[in-house]
Amino acid sequence: MRYFLCLSYDGSAFCGWQIQPSSPSVQACLESTLSRLLNRPVAVTGAGRTDTGVHAVNYVAHFDTDGVLPFEASDFIYKLNAMLPRGVAISSVSPVPEDLHARFSARRREYTYFIHRKKDPFVREYSWLCGYPSLDFDAMNEACQHLLGTHDFSCFEKTGGDNKTSICTVFEAHWEPYVPSHVQVMGQEGPSGGYWYFRIAADRFLRNMVRATVGTLIEVGRGKHRPEWVAQLIANGTRGDAGESVPGHALFLNKVDY
């Protein structure tokens, strides 16, 4: 029987989702804990890879068993959470058809990247301090329009991936301002327009694609390139032509649809 797990994790202490030979990964942590709980080896398959330091909310993974779980779902979640480290939390477990696959059955994935424009000690762990004197978010959102649709996104892809194609379909891409919870709750006067997030959704993502895309859009916002440059990069550019990758600690995989 196959089960889907919905979980969230703080990627700060991990090398990413996927098992690595000598570094702690979320996948290895979850497999080890499930194996101890169920008293047998358990393999876990995730919805996709995340890089070192990248976080996830509502991440989906599946595992297979010989039969039904030996605990009620609520007890299973309670026991698993008690055994897992503080940076990993299970929110649900549910049986699914055996042909439903956490990775290959996913139709849409969504990432969110956070930036703040002025020093703020309360968001620094999960947001990038982007301190350039000015950023034109209207131009950045205009550039986002060139990301939409089906394209070869190899200009945003880190070399060394094992994917067979660099073609992805982007459904959504935009920048929006937001107000952090500590500013809202405590009435702190935050910097005007100081907190922003970038959201992008696609059927699939290439290695390092989101971080390279954000870095490229920042170049547009700084006035170094016009918004049409993004279309030119997608059509003819290489990874060396695009912007630098931004830090991973501000990136969240926040939604997977099936």
Side-chain angles (χ1 to χ4, degrees), residues 192-237:
S192 177
Y195 304 94
W196 291 77
Y197 67 83
F198 170 67
R199 180 158 291 163
I200 184 168
D203 61 342
R204 59 192 294 268
F205 287 92
L206 308 173
R207 186 181 181 193
N208 204 56
M209 176 176 164
V210 180
R211 291 163 60 193
T213 300
V214 172
T216 299
L217 294 172
I218 293 292
E219 296 284 277
V220 173
R222 294 174 63 193
K224 299 184 70 173
H225 299 278
R226 295 183 57 81
E228 305 84 61
W229 175 58
V230 172
Q232 296 167 8
L233 283 174
I234 294 172
N236 304 302

Side-chain angles (χ1 to χ4, degrees), residues 13-15 18-25 28:
F14 298 103
C15 67
Q18 189 171 7
I19 292 175
Q20 300 294 330
S22 58
S23 301
S25 69

Side-chain angles (χ1 to χ4, degrees), residues 124-141:
R124 63 185 177 85
E125 297 291 340
Y126 305 104
S127 177
W128 176 45
L129 176 56
C130 183
Y132 296 114
S134 62
L135 286 178
D136 185 342
F137 285 94
D138 288 336
M140 291 158 68
N141 272 326

Side-chain angles (χ1 to χ4, degrees), residues 16-20 23-34:
W17 163 262
Q18 189 171 7
I19 292 175
Q20 300 294 330
S23 301
S25 69
V26 182
Q27 185 182 24
C29 173
L30 191 55
E31 286 189 352
S32 174
T33 307
L34 274 170

Side-chain angles (χ1 to χ4, degrees), residues 167-183:
I167 295 176
C168 309
T169 299
V170 173
F171 307 118
E172 173 187 349
H174 58 88
W175 288 89
E176 295 286 348
Y178 79 102
V179 181
S181 58
H182 71 283
V183 174

Side-chain angles (χ1 to χ4, degrees), residues 98-117:
E98 293 191 1
D99 61 348
L100 194 63
H101 195 282
R103 179 182 177 187
F104 298 126
S105 299
R107 303 292 185 184
R108 184 181 188 272
R109 297 167 173 85
E110 184 177 282
Y111 279 89
T112 302
Y113 193 89
F114 293 91
I115 71 169
H116 53 292
R117 305 284 289 121

Side-chain angles (χ1 to χ4, degrees), residues 54-70:
V54 175
H55 319 287
V57 179
N58 301 318
Y59 187 89
V60 178
H62 79 247
F63 67 96
D64 296 325
T65 68
D66 295 332
V68 296
L69 294 175

